[in-house]
């Protein structure tokens, strides 16, 4: 949330390093619970040094908000929870994830290894 311009969670401005805002999940039919909690597969949108594009990758999520990017080039990866949402961002040397790599077993360990090599 801090990487974006603003967040619905509070009134303070973000750093604006990613041209985006952080918005709360809202479901009309209440079929999906908030927060989004549990394991979910992600789709990597473009080549990057953090997460390989090939293969299925599953990460652990616990969140009520997601990042809504104004520039699709900043969207590193997406996941699905009622709709496709941004779950990882990347701009130049800035990376951010909505999921918890530290709780995501082998996929999270691999991401953290890649991050340490940056």
């Amino acid at each position: 949330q801090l990487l974006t311009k603003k967040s619905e969670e509070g009134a303070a401005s973000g750093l604006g390093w990613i041209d985006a805002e952080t918005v709360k999940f809202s479901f009309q039919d209440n079929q999906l619970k908030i927060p989004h909690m549990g394991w979910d597969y992600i789709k990597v949108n473009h080549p990057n040094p953090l997460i390989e594009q090939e293969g299925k990758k599953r990460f652990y999520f616990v969140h009520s908000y997601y990042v809504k990017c104004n520039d699709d080039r900043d969207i590193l990866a997406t996941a699905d929870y009622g709709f496709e949402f941004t779950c990882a961002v990347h701009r130049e040397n800035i990376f951010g994830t909505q999921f918890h790599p530290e709780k995501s077993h082998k996929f999270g360990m691999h991401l953290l290894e890649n991050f340490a090599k940056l």
Side-chain angles (χ1 to χ4, degrees):
Q1 294 182 24
L2 187 61
L3 298 176
T4 67
K5 292 180 176 183
K6 64 179 182 175
S7 173
E8 289 183 353
E9 191 169 11
S13 297
L15 296 171
W17 292 348
I18 302 291
D19 184 15
E21 61 184 61
T22 305
V23 296
K24 188 169 184 169
F25 278 114
S26 176
F27 300 107
Q28 297 286 343
D29 57 12
N30 293 324
Q31 291 295 324
L32 296 172
K33 293 182 180 183
I34 300 171
H36 170 216
M37 188 181 305
W39 294 92
D40 210 341
Y41 287 97
I42 68 165
K43 176 185 151 200
V44 180
N45 290 354
H46 57 80
N48 69 89
L50 196 62
I51 312 170
E52 292 82 9
Q53 275 188 286
E54 300 80 30
K56 286 189 169 191
K57 291 159 191 59
R58 191 173 74 135
F59 290 89
Y60 190 78
F61 289 82
V62 179
H63 64 119
S64 300
Y65 296 81
Y66 65 96
V67 172
K68 187 175 177 184
C69 289
N70 295 317
D71 187 340
D72 289 346
R73 294 175 295 183
D74 294 335
I75 302 172
L76 173 57
T78 58
D80 189 279
Y81 192 65
F83 60 92
E84 189 174 24
F85 69 92
T86 300
C87 68
V89 294
H90 173 217
R91 173 178 283 213
E92 299 175 10
N93 66 338
I94 299 167
F95 293 90
T97 64
Q98 188 66 58
F99 50 82
H100 291 264
E102 77 282 4
K103 295 181 180 183
S104 297
H105 298 284
K106 67 179 182 179
F107 299 109
M109 287 295 295
H110 190 66
L111 182 147
L112 293 170
E113 287 172 7
N114 287 344
F115 184 76
K117 294 175 187 174
L118 291 177

